[in-house]
Amino acid sequence: MHTFMSFLISVIFLTVMSVSCGTAVYNLADYGLKPDTGVNSSPLVSEALHKIAAESGGKAVFITLPHGRYDFYPEGSAVREYYISNHDQTNPKNVGIPFENMKNMVFDGQGSELIFHGRMLPVSLVDTENCTLKNLSIDFENPHITQIKILENNAEDGTITYEIAPWVEYSIDDSCLVVKGEGWELVPETGIAFEEKTRHLVFDTGDLQVGTKGVKEIAPRTVLAPWDNMKLVPGTVIALRPWTRPAPGIFVYHGTNTVVENVKVHYAEGMGLLAQVSENITLDGFSVCLRGDDDPRYFTTQADATHFSGCKGLISSTGGLYEGMMDDAINVHGTYLKVQERIDDRTLAGEYMHYQSYGFEWGRPGDTVRFINSLTMEMLDGVNVISSICPSGKTDINGAKRFVITFENPVDPSVGSGPASYGIENLEWTPEVYFADNLIRNNRARGALFSTPRKTVVENNVFDHTSGTAILLCGDCNGWFETGACSDVVIRGNKFINALTSMYQFTNAVISIYPEIPRLDLQKKYFHSGIVIENNEFDMFDRPLLYAKSVDGLVFRGNTVRRNAGYPPFHWNTRMFFFQRVKNVSIEGNDIEGGFEPERDVLSE
């Protein structure tokens, strides 16, 4: 009744709004879309959106999709060249629902299931303003992750017998497991193991070497493989996957005031949602999750649930469920350009360096920037302002790797004129972040990553069996080239349950403040600052609680730490607090089971 009344009120409100405010209301049923038919919806949606854009005449638009299941295939879909941060730059891409150049638009799926086939980018919002996407789910009929279950672990001969999930299409070619779908096939390269009943990742397993070569099928869907790993007991469920990530479930680029409300992504071959060079993004009840407690799948996305690259304004993510993904629930950062050439005192050539992060806009005239020494991760004093920026050797930004940038003021003589390597950080495209009331559980690698100099609040979340570090404050100008230094972070009121059950990159403690600094011994300044961790609850089986590197100003207060015997302690770091080049630290007012003795529990280097 409550749901019906809410819907009725919405309809009445929209009817009044359409009369009084000039909002154009559209039902996609009028454009030939019918639910539960299995018909390819891709060409119908593309044509409908094209007509709506022409018919609306610039009015606000409210689009409804009648409740049901809709299938989307690459054939007849929109074909676009999108360069997407932290993804494989494979183009062109088949886009199921392309929202482009739209303003003041609400798209209400009314609880519909959008099922995609082959390799597709389900939804894009590009060059949009004041647009809302709500009440729908995104999934793929045949995911590119392969699920298997261990039937026998034969320790005496180093083999494992496993069963392939019923929805997986596969063949055994030259003693190799090849999985395939509509327009694709691959050989899994790595795996993640889940406990059958709890869906927690199996303790101390991390990324598995997988038994996909030298195999033989001994019964339908039953495979015998050379695989020596005693931790994979019968009943263990494993997600076998490649390292590829061609496209996210939802892509936002050049969006202003984007809202994603009550949307669920059950699978995507990249991130669940990727936003880049966009301003003000609100995720309200957005989830990357299984299809319920009885979902036979154990996995969701191939990489992060949500990822924000070079955004500004406010990123707000509240009330979400993030589970089963192959990376973090959220990652917020910018991208350093590496200085490759000093053309004159005001002009530099800067370049995107990572093969999965290039081809999109980096900056605009008027943007404030600063420079950082890659070796020590020290920011040079002062800032500068972009006077002009253009792609090098190209007429447009799309696909660009290198930019020629002229600044308003002379650049420090050390930048680009000697052996030292420098990066450029765009301070304009750095967001505030509010991450609250979310549940993060049973995922690979880490819980949440934040790398922005603006205010970041992480509160009232539950981090339940994140297999690596629960919260990471990072920054590096040598690998992924992801900015940047945090200066105002509050982590409060969260609950951490048995994080850090396996080892991955940056997993030195439950909360890890871990910028990549090749020569910490040469560093004179500090990278991160202004970090407060307060009033949280930690339920832990091991000792590493907080690791920090290169921080000026760190407070850990009012927290509760409880011990359990859920797993045996295994981490190399046996200190509760481990600090490397950290000053102005305060540890006070905490309730720690077993007590707190600085001489025993704190290592400071």
Side-chain angles (χ1 to χ4, degrees), residues 135 174 212 270 287 308 354 405:
N135 300 330
D174 296 326
T212 57
S287 296
F308 303 88
H354 197 278
I405 309 171

Side-chain angles (χ1 to χ4, degrees), residues 194-315:
F194 296 87
E195 296 175 2
E196 182 179 19
K197 293 182 179 180
T198 66
R199 296 182 186 257
H200 301 331
L201 273 67
V202 174
F203 172 71
D204 195 19
T205 50
D207 292 320
L208 298 171
Q209 298 297 313
V210 298
T212 57
K213 297 180 179 179
V215 306
K216 61 180 179 180
E217 190 169 35
I218 58 177
R221 295 195 168 270
T222 304
V223 171
L224 179 67
W227 199 351
D228 189 6
N229 189 329
M230 288 306 299
K231 295 176 182 177
L232 307 183
V233 300
T236 301
V237 174
I238 300 177
L240 303 177
R241 65 193 189 100
W243 291 108
T244 54
R245 48 171 85 168
I250 300 172
F251 174 50
V252 183
Y253 184 32
H254 289 158
T256 302
N257 303 331
T258 303
V259 177
V260 183
E261 177 185 338
N262 191 29
V263 170
K264 296 179 175 62
V265 175
H266 299 308
Y267 174 76
E269 202 181 358
M271 315 292 185
L273 178 146
L274 185 290
Q276 64 189 29
V277 199
S278 295
E279 181 175 4
N280 296 331
I281 302 167
T282 299
L283 306 185
D284 181 3
F286 173 79
S287 296
V288 171
C289 61
L290 303 173
R291 294 171 294 182
D293 293 339
D294 58 350
D295 191 344
R297 293 189 206 157
Y298 281 59
F299 60 86
T300 55
T301 53
Q302 177 68 277
D304 300 348
T306 67
H307 199 108
F308 303 88
S309 175
C311 294
K312 67 177 181 177
L314 174 65
I315 293 172

Side-chain angles (χ1 to χ4, degrees), residues 294-536:
D294 58 350
D295 191 344
R297 293 189 206 157
Y298 281 59
F299 60 86
T300 55
T301 53
Q302 177 68 277
D304 300 348
T306 67
H307 199 108
F308 303 88
S309 175
C311 294
K312 67 177 181 177
L314 174 65
I315 293 172
S316 175
S317 172
T318 59
L321 168 60
Y322 301 110
E323 63 180 347
M325 57 277 185
M326 298 295 106
D327 243 312
D328 326 308
I330 182 172
N331 187 347
V332 181
H333 65 87
T335 304
Y336 292 114
L337 294 184
K338 183 178 181 180
V339 176
Q340 297 286 40
E341 181 183 0
R342 186 182 182 96
I343 297 171
D344 59 45
D345 284 349
R346 284 186 167 86
T347 307
L348 302 173
E351 187 171 345
Y352 283 122
M353 297 306 295
H354 197 278
Y355 71 96
Q356 288 181 320
S357 289
Y358 73 89
F360 48 93
E361 186 179 26
W362 183 84
R364 299 172 182 174
D367 289 354
T368 299
V369 305
R370 64 182 172 188
F371 300 93
I372 188 168
N373 184 312
S374 300
L375 195 66
T376 62
M377 293 299 284
E378 292 176 295
M379 269 76 72
L380 298 186
D381 293 334
V383 297
N384 213 325
V385 177
I386 296 175
S387 177
S388 67
I389 178 170
C390 61
S392 178
K394 287 179 61 65
T395 57
D396 58 51
I397 293 170
N398 209 33
K401 290 186 177 180
R402 190 178 177 109
F403 298 87
V404 175
I405 309 171
T406 300
F407 301 94
E408 290 185 358
N409 302 307
V411 177
D412 188 295
S414 64
V415 178
S417 59
S421 175
Y422 286 89
I424 317 172
E425 178 181 9
N426 190 326
L427 295 175
E428 174 69 20
W429 293 92
T430 54
E432 293 188 16
V433 181
Y434 185 64
F435 187 73
D437 301 303
N438 300 291
L439 171 57
I440 303 96
R441 65 186 182 191
N442 303 336
N443 66 291
R444 172 190 174 275
R446 291 159 297 268
L449 278 67
F450 304 99
S451 300
T452 174
R454 302 187 191 271
K455 188 172 186 63
T456 299
V457 176
V458 185
E459 65 180 3
N460 302 328
N461 304 286
V462 176
F463 295 86
D464 183 2
H465 287 80
T466 58
S467 60
T469 287
I471 295 178
L472 171 66
L473 307 182
C474 196
D476 95 85
C477 194
N478 299 278
W480 277 96
F481 286 80
E482 293 182 359
T483 64
C486 297
S487 60
D488 186 359
V489 178
V490 177
I491 300 170
R492 66 186 173 211
N494 303 284
K495 186 172 184 178
F496 301 89
I497 305 170
N498 281 352
L500 199 52
T501 57
S502 286
M503 296 300 299
Y504 301 94
Q505 191 177 24
F506 311 120
T507 50
N508 282 7
V510 173
I511 295 178
S512 191
I513 305 168
Y514 197 149
E516 292 192 80
I517 306 171
R519 290 300 303 271
L520 185 64
D521 60 314
L522 300 179
Q523 191 188 66
K524 295 180 175 61
K525 300 177 182 179
Y526 293 83
F527 189 71
H528 291 300
S529 61
I531 301 166
V532 177
I533 303 168
E534 62 183 2
N535 302 327
N536 301 283

Side-chain angles (χ1 to χ4, degrees), residues 460 491-496 511 531-538 545-546 554-562 577 586-593 596:
N460 302 328
I491 300 170
R492 66 186 173 211
N494 303 284
K495 186 172 184 178
F496 301 89
I511 295 178
I531 301 166
V532 177
I533 303 168
E534 62 183 2
N535 302 327
N536 301 283
E537 182 180 342
F538 296 86
L545 176 59
L546 174 61
L554 175 60
V555 176
F556 188 89
R557 67 185 174 212
N559 300 285
T560 300
V561 181
R562 294 288 176 263
F577 300 92
S586 175
I587 302 173
E588 60 183 11
N590 302 290
D591 179 6
I592 300 176
E593 184 176 336
F596 172 62

Side-chain angles (χ1 to χ4, degrees), residues 69 71 73 115-118 139-143 167 182 297:
R69 168 178 166 143
D71 288 85
Y73 293 82
I115 307 298
F116 294 83
H117 299 257
D139 202 354
F140 278 71
E141 180 71 13
N142 186 7
W167 62 83
E182 298 157 291
R297 293 189 206 157

